[in-house]
Amino acid sequence: MGYSILFSYYEIVGDEAHLIDEYKLPYEERKESLETLLSQQNYEFIGNVDLWGIRTNSFISIAEIVKD
């Protein structure tokens, strides 16, 4: 059983974040490979075992490593 990444994109409006889109990668990999990929794409570990994120002034992208 492999892992994939579920990306959730949010728009920041004031103090609220509104979900724009979700996308799941269409392939499976080892968890360590996905963590390396996210790190290379400047995602930061959020503190939950499988959550990573990146933020700009008006958008947030959350990447969750999920079992397929």
Side-chain angles (χ1 to χ4, degrees):
M1 176 183 269
Y3 291 84
S4 187
I5 300 175
L6 175 63
F7 290 97
S8 300
Y9 301 100
Y10 296 87
E11 179 181 23
I12 301 169
V13 180
D15 291 336
E16 297 182 15
H18 301 280
L19 180 64
I20 297 172
D21 195 16
E22 287 187 323
Y23 175 77
K24 185 175 179 184
L25 287 181
Y27 63 89
E28 295 182 8
E29 286 287 336
R30 293 180 314 114
K31 187 174 182 179
E32 295 81 12
S33 297
L34 296 174
E35 289 172 343
T36 300
L37 173 68
L38 290 170
S39 179
Q40 290 172 343
Q41 296 301 312
N42 295 322
Y43 278 77
E44 295 181 12
F45 183 68
I46 293 178
N48 182 307
V49 175
D50 298 320
L51 287 180
W52 294 70
I54 192 167
R55 179 180 177 158
T56 66
N57 289 337
S58 56
F59 293 97
I60 297 174
S61 177
I62 303 292
E64 180 179 6
I65 299 173
V66 294
K67 287 184 184 179
D68 275 340

